[in-house]
Structures are given as structure tokens and as C-alpha cells.
């Protein structure tokens, strides 16, 4: 695993005041994902950046100033906004499209505050509206969030264009964009909205430090199985809970364990998203 990225741009003064006034902020840690060849952005608890934050637990969120102060501890790469359950703010997340004509057209159509994403390869457009669905199209590289599912979204303040605040847009505008860009997904491919947020392995206990049964410890460290792999995986989950770990910690340990995740992949046709749902 590579060290935390130190070069992400953050311009706090350029972030709209209407976003800053929300108590939905948290710092995030950049953790290199070798398989995806990109940084995962792990939200952190503002008061203790060594621990992960759930985008589904409002009691863990903070004000903008508290989250910004957490950056001074040197354990975070930037700031982000918990969009979960928000009712009057929407965001278009455009990926790998810097300078593309379709993205420029969409930015012009919405006419609201727009910034460059942490990767420097995409855009985030924030606006004011209430919309009943979140939707996406990964083929094009667009995700739309309106608070209908748990989501943590990084914010940079690296503004482009003249709009320095969130514009109010009509529902019909989003309906038109969803009709044009939205992509139908099968229910089996949708991750359970109650799924805990994944935590960085930097804040998780090591398997060797836990008082797990010997056969479970062998499975998680060497992949050795005495009998049915699925039953062993199930037993491993029970054993982790028996150690007093929380939902997000149990899921994160299994999801980041090559042997546990291999079992899940085998049961879900090697589809990583469905394997995570299986876990």
C-alpha cells in the first residue's frame, strides 16, 4: 500500500457558504487501491482521524470548521460532505471528463457552482433541488446524488466558471438529464443501502491480534479450510462479532481479506460489487 497522497488541492475559501453552513462535513484519508489503480477516499471521524466515519451516521458528522481543523493533525488528505438524507442539495459527479464537450455542455446547462475533483480529472456540480432518485451511468462517467442513499462526496473548492454559489434548478432539468444519461440497473446489482461504510485497514485490528478460533484464524491468514468454504466464511463473521467488533469493522475485515473475498467472488460470478453485497 502506498502512503497517503499529499498533493490533493483544497481551497476552503472558494467553497460556497451555503455548503459550509451544513453540519455534514468530515476529513478523509487517501488510501491507494492497487487493484483499481486509484486512491480510495476513506472518511474519518473529525474528532479522531484514526477511526473511520460512516456516511449513514449523522452523529459522527461535523461542522465545516471542525472538519477543517482536523486537517491540521496531518492524517487527512481533504474534506468531504455527507450527502446521505440531504433534501435540498444535489450533486453531479463527472468522472474522467476534464475538457470533454459533453461535460462542458452539462455544466453550462445546470449553471451552478462547479469544481474540479481531487483527481484533477473530473468535475463536481452542486445545485439546489429536491429529487426522488439517485442515478448513474458508469459507461459515460456520471453519477447523480440527491441524498437518497448513503454517500460521502469529497469537496475541493477548486472552482471553475463564474458561479460561486449553488443555483436553484428545476426538477424538469434533472429529469431530462436522467432520461438522457441515466442507466437502468438490475436490482441484484444495487448495493444494500444499509450496508456499513468500508473502513481503511489502517484503523482495523489485525486478525492475529484477535482471539479468534484457530480454524478461523487459519482461514483468514492462509485460506486453509476444513470443510465447506461458505460455512467457514459464515463462522468467521460470527467469530468477529464475538470479539465485540461493530458492523462496519466486521464487513471491512472480510471485504479486505483475500480469502474471505475470494469465497464471495466465487458465489457471485467474480463480480466485486455483488461479492460485497454477498458479504
Amino acid at each position: 500500500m502506498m502512503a497517503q497522497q499529499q498533493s490533493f488541492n483544497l481551497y476552503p475559501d472558494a467553497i460556497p457558504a451555503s455548503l459550509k453552513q451544513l453540519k455534514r462535513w468530515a476529513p478523509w484519508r487517501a488510501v491507494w487501491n492497487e487493484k483499481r489503480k486509484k486512491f480510495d477516499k476513506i472518511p474519518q471521524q473529525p474528532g479522531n482521524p484514526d477511526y473511520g466515519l460512516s456516511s449513514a451516521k449523522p452523529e459522527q458528522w461535523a461542522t465545516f470548521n471542525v472538519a477543517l481543523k482536523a486537517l491540521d493533525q496531518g492524517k487527512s488528505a481533504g474534506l468531504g460532505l455527507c450527502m446521505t438524507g440531504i433534501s435540498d442539495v444535489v450533486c453531479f459527479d463527472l468522472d474522467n471528463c476534464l475538457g470533454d464537450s459533453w461535460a462542458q455542455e452539462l455544466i453550462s446547462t445546470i449553471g451552478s457552482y462547479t469544481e474540479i475533483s481531487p483527481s484533477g480529472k473530473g468535475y463536481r456540480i452542486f445545485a439546489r433541488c429536491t429529487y426522488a432518485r439517485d442515478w448513474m451511468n458508469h459507461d459515460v462517467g456520471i453519477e447523480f446524488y440527491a441524498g437518497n442513499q448513503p454517500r460521502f462526496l469529497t469537496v475541493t473548492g477548486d472552482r471553475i466558471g463564474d458561479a460561486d454559489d449553488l443555483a436553484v434548478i428545476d426538477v424538469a432539468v434533472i429529469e431530462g438529464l436522467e432520461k438522457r444519461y441515466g442507466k437502468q440497473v438490475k436490482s441484484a446489482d444495487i448495493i444494500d443501502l444499509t450496508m456499513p461504510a468500508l473502513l481503511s485497514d489502517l484503523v482495523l485490528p489485525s486478525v492475529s491480534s484477535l482471539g479468534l478460533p484457530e480454524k478461523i484464524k487459519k482461514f483468514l491468514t492462509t485460506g486453509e479450510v476444513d470443510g465447506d468454504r461458505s460455512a467457514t466464511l459464515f463462522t468467521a463473521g460470527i467469530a468477529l462479532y464475538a470479539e465485540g467488533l461493530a458492523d462496519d469493522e466486521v464487513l471491512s475485515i472480510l471485504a479486505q481479506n483475500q480469502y474471505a473475498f475470494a469465497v464471495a467472488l466465487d458465489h457471485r460470478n467474480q463480480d466485486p460489487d455483488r461479492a460485497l453485497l454477498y458479504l
Side-chain angles (χ1 to χ4, degrees):
M1 179 180 297
M2 292 179 62
Q4 176 178 303
Q5 171 69 283
Q6 299 292 328
S7 60
F8 292 104
N9 291 331
L10 178 65
Y11 304 95
D13 292 342
I15 297 174
S18 55
L19 288 181
K20 289 181 181 178
Q21 70 184 10
L22 302 174
K23 190 181 178 182
R24 290 176 164 272
W25 291 92
W28 54 271
R29 180 196 303 273
V31 179
W32 181 253
N33 187 316
E34 182 63 28
K35 181 176 292 186
R36 299 171 63 199
K37 299 298 181 183
K38 62 186 296 186
F39 283 96
D40 289 334
K41 302 169 183 67
I42 311 296
Q44 304 163 289
Q45 293 185 23
N48 191 345
D50 288 329
Y51 290 87
L53 170 142
S54 172
S55 58
K57 296 182 179 179
E59 66 272 15
Q60 295 182 350
W61 309 344
T63 63
F64 179 82
N65 287 335
V66 168
L68 184 62
K69 186 177 180 180
L71 289 179
D72 295 336
Q73 298 186 36
K75 298 180 178 180
S76 307
L79 298 181
L81 191 68
C82 295
M83 294 286 290
T84 313
I86 203 165
S87 61
D88 60 347
V89 174
V90 299
C91 181
F92 293 85
D93 186 1
L94 315 183
D95 196 25
N96 292 319
C97 60
L98 211 64
D100 289 357
S101 58
W102 72 269
Q104 297 298 325
E105 179 185 352
L106 197 150
I107 291 171
S108 178
T109 297
I110 298 172
S112 188
Y113 170 79
T114 303
E115 64 176 32
I116 297 176
S117 62
S119 67
K121 299 178 181 178
Y123 303 104
R124 301 270 167 73
I125 311 170
F126 289 91
R128 288 207 172 277
C129 187
T130 299
Y131 203 70
R133 295 175 299 280
D134 293 8
W135 50 268
M136 62 190 63
N137 187 331
H138 289 148
D139 293 337
V140 175
I142 177 173
E143 298 177 355
F144 171 78
Y145 299 104
N148 300 293
Q149 56 181 287
R151 178 67 176 179
F152 178 78
L153 205 58
T154 56
V155 180
T156 65
D158 192 0
R159 180 170 66 92
I160 65 166
D162 297 327
D164 58 3
D165 202 356
L166 280 63
V168 177
I169 59 175
D170 195 273
V171 169
V173 173
I174 300 178
E175 289 176 338
L177 292 171
E178 181 181 10
K179 184 176 181 180
R180 179 176 180 182
Y181 291 107
K183 184 177 181 181
Q184 188 74 25
V185 295
K186 299 177 181 178
S187 59
D189 294 330
I190 299 176
I191 298 298
D192 185 355
L193 301 188
T194 62
M195 179 179 291
L198 291 181
L199 306 177
S200 165
D201 61 359
L202 298 176
V203 301
L204 294 172
S206 65
V207 171
S208 59
S209 69
L210 298 172
L212 301 172
E214 193 59 28
K215 70 174 185 178
I216 298 304
K217 199 169 280 190
K218 285 184 178 179
F219 167 61
L220 294 176
T221 56
T222 69
E224 181 180 334
V225 175
D226 180 17
D228 184 81
R229 296 168 72 228
S230 298
T232 303
L233 175 59
F234 181 74
T235 305
I238 294 175
L240 289 169
Y241 274 113
E243 287 295 296
L245 300 181
D247 291 350
D248 51 0
E249 293 174 311
V250 173
L251 178 61
S252 299
I253 288 174
L254 295 177
Q256 297 179 44
N257 182 275
Q258 59 176 319
Y259 305 110
F261 202 63
V263 176
L265 284 170
D266 288 344
H267 278 273
R268 290 297 179 264
N269 200 30
Q270 303 303 308
D271 184 319
D273 288 337
R274 297 179 66 218
L276 187 60
L277 180 58
Y278 176 83
L279 287 178

